[in-house]
Amino acid sequence: MLRISTQMITERSLSSMLRQQSELNDTQQQLSTGRRVLTPSDDPASASRVLGLNRAVDTLSQYQSNIDRLTSRLETEEGALDGITNLLQRVRELTVEGNNDVLTTLDKSAIASEIRQIGDQLFSMANSRDSGGEYVFAGYQSGTRPFSYDLGVYSYNGDGGQRELQIASDRTVADGDNGFDTFMNIATGPIATVNVAAPTDPAPAAITAGDITIDGGNGNGAISIGALPLAANPTQRAVQLRDAINAISGQTGVRAESNTAPPDTLTLTAVGGTGVTVNIAGTATTANTGLTTGATAPVTSKRSVFETLDLLAADLEAGKSVDRYITDVQLAMDNVIEVRTTVGGRLNSIEEQQTVNEDLKLNLEIHRSEERDLDYTEAISRFESQMTALQAAQQAYVKVKGLSLFNYL
């Protein structure tokens, strides 16, 4: 026969009530936090899955943060490139306007002044900073001012790098473009240059039409400069040659300019084409013209857009022809437009990735909620049931505790 002592009843009743109180407390904590899994021991499998989902959501949040930074920085770059494109378009218009022999020196100087102002503005925009104070076109050296000017020399102080930020598990995007490729290392138009020596004859003889021909390599073939009358001296012959060559420049594409040093010399230039071919025969000799028969191929070079604008303004101020700079400015503008196009492509790309990341993050958060979050309807019902059970246990304990055989004696 089992004997149940008062101590045993008390211990079992207290143990039961403490267990019920603990369960009730857990339910209360679940209701207050909205979480079903409070500790890994509540549901080890779900807790493990929640940890994995937390890491995935945090990673996506970092990707989205990178996208926000990329968007801000690339929009700053795009705005700067847009402004620079407009400036170069204006320079091109001014170059075409200034490449007119009808204009006076004062007119060309006014155009040159505007081009210099545009150059200063372009230089400032090339040193643009983003919202964080970092230079946009400095490559990895974002804390260093990329462009400087000292004693007539433009220098690039950044590097050729492109910082990249990760926007997906297997995808990175550059947050800018280095200034060297954008503004410094710009191709110029092909140009053939022929240096014409001063005539050595003291009184150069007349030249028969057809004895001097110029082929500018533009597909029109060799064109005669016409007849030249007797010249009183080498200076007059140099002027005759210059004017005759320029008179047919519309056909040949070749322009001639007089040089002050050495005196009585000329420089022939042809922009584009396959080069300049000069031919002298008959009454035309090197002694009475300074010309020699031969072909000169065009050459190309690279220089900064800042230097191009300075040279353009200087030649306008000197009253020289500036047709060669029309191509140079166009090439600089094309390069900026190409860079701007890549920036626009990156902006579109990260916008699409941002949408993908948002959808993926939402799905992960839904799965995490299913694993971790509380079903309030079930929890409230359980809370009320546990509360009722605890109250009943407490009341039963009080009644049992009050029982005694002395009550029946």
Side-chain angles (χ1 to χ4, degrees):
M1 181 175 181
L2 180 63
R3 296 180 60 189
I4 302 176
S5 66
T6 301
Q7 182 179 359
M8 182 182 296
I9 293 174
T10 300
E11 288 177 352
R12 289 189 176 183
S13 297
L14 287 176
S15 176
S16 175
M17 287 187 289
L18 288 174
R19 177 179 53 76
Q20 290 175 307
Q21 182 67 56
S22 176
E23 293 174 351
L24 183 63
N25 289 338
D26 289 343
T27 303
Q28 284 181 317
Q29 192 172 359
Q30 287 178 335
L31 288 169
S32 64
T33 61
R35 303 289 171 81
R36 180 180 65 85
V37 180
L38 299 174
T39 62
S41 61
D42 293 340
D43 189 338
S46 288
S48 176
R49 288 192 291 270
V50 167
L51 286 175
L53 289 167
N54 283 339
R55 286 193 294 268
V57 170
D58 289 344
T59 300
L60 283 171
S61 296
Q62 183 60 56
Y63 291 157
Q64 297 298 73
S65 177
N66 290 348
I67 286 175
D68 291 340
R69 175 176 172 76
L70 275 169
T71 300
S72 174
R73 190 169 169 84
L74 290 176
E75 284 178 347
T76 300
E77 180 182 0
E78 186 179 41
L81 293 175
D82 182 46
I84 290 170
T85 300
N86 293 334
L87 291 177
L88 290 176
Q89 178 61 43
R90 176 57 181 163
V91 170
R92 189 181 186 285
E93 294 170 358
L94 291 171
T95 306
V96 173
E97 181 182 345
N99 192 43
N100 190 333
D101 294 335
V102 177
L103 295 179
T104 65
T105 302
L106 187 60
D107 293 333
K108 290 189 175 184
S109 294
I111 294 174
S113 178
E114 183 176 351
I115 288 175
R116 289 194 184 280
Q117 291 176 5
I118 291 174
D120 291 342
Q121 188 176 356
L122 192 153
F123 184 77
S124 176
M125 295 180 75
N127 281 316
S128 295
R129 300 188 190 206
D130 62 16
S131 58
E134 294 184 321
Y135 289 100
V136 175
F137 298 106
Y140 292 130
Q141 310 299 320
S142 57
T144 302
R145 190 168 186 259
F147 300 101
S148 59
Y149 177 78
D150 184 45
L151 300 176
V153 178
Y154 291 95
S155 301
Y156 177 62
N157 307 309
D159 58 31
Q162 272 189 313
R163 297 188 311 183
E164 295 195 347
L165 293 179
Q166 192 165 3
I167 63 172
S169 59
D170 57 350
R171 191 174 185 186
T172 59
V173 174
D175 73 346
D177 296 271
N178 72 79
F180 182 78
D181 292 333
T182 307
F183 303 112
M184 298 295 289
N185 195 36
I186 309 301
T188 59
I191 182 170
T193 303
V194 179
N195 295 314
V196 181
T200 56
D201 283 354
I207 306 296
T208 303
D211 286 352
I212 300 178
T213 60
I214 303 287
D215 184 350
N218 58 359
N220 289 336
I223 307 295
S224 171
I225 69 170
L228 299 181
L230 175 70
N233 50 54
T235 300
Q236 187 178 25
R237 174 47 50 87
V239 172
Q240 289 174 348
L241 278 171
R242 181 197 66 194
D243 294 344
I245 292 171
N246 288 339
I248 61 170
S249 64
Q251 297 172 273
T252 63
V254 178
R255 294 185 65 90
E257 292 182 348
S258 299
N259 300 318
T260 56
D264 305 330
T265 62
L266 300 176
T267 299
L268 311 185
T269 57
V271 179
T274 58
V276 177
T277 301
V278 177
N279 186 68
I280 59 174
T283 57
T285 65
T286 299
N288 63 20
T289 64
L291 294 167
T292 56
T293 296
T296 302
V299 296
T300 60
S301 60
K302 292 189 176 184
R303 61 169 175 258
S304 74
V305 64
F306 315 117
E307 185 181 357
T308 294
L309 298 192
D310 280 357
L311 292 172
L312 168 59
D315 281 2
L316 282 170
E317 290 165 345
K320 295 182 179 180
S321 169
V322 293
D323 56 341
R324 63 178 295 180
Y325 296 107
I326 296 175
T327 301
D328 294 348
V329 173
Q330 182 64 53
L331 287 173
M333 185 166 63
D334 290 345
N335 188 69
V336 171
I337 291 173
E338 182 179 353
V339 174
R340 183 184 169 195
T341 300
T342 65
V343 172
R346 274 176 270 168
L347 281 169
N348 291 336
S349 173
I350 63 177
E351 183 179 358
E352 293 172 358
Q353 187 63 51
Q354 185 176 37
T355 301
V356 171
N357 288 351
E358 287 174 350
D359 291 342
L360 180 56
K361 184 179 178 183
L362 178 60
N363 288 333
L364 290 175
E365 288 174 340
I366 290 173
H367 291 311
R368 183 175 64 179
S369 176
E370 292 172 349
E371 293 287 348
R372 182 186 66 182
D373 292 346
L374 185 66
D375 181 347
Y376 275 94
T377 301
E378 183 275 333
I380 292 173
S381 176
R382 175 161 38 91
F383 177 79
E384 292 176 348
S385 175
Q386 289 171 339
M387 178 65 76
T388 301
L390 178 60
Q391 291 173 346
Q394 291 170 339
Q395 292 171 359
Y397 174 71
V398 170
K399 288 184 178 182
V400 171
K401 186 67 175 174
L403 292 177
S404 173
L405 290 174
F406 292 103
N407 294 332
Y408 299 96
L409 293 177

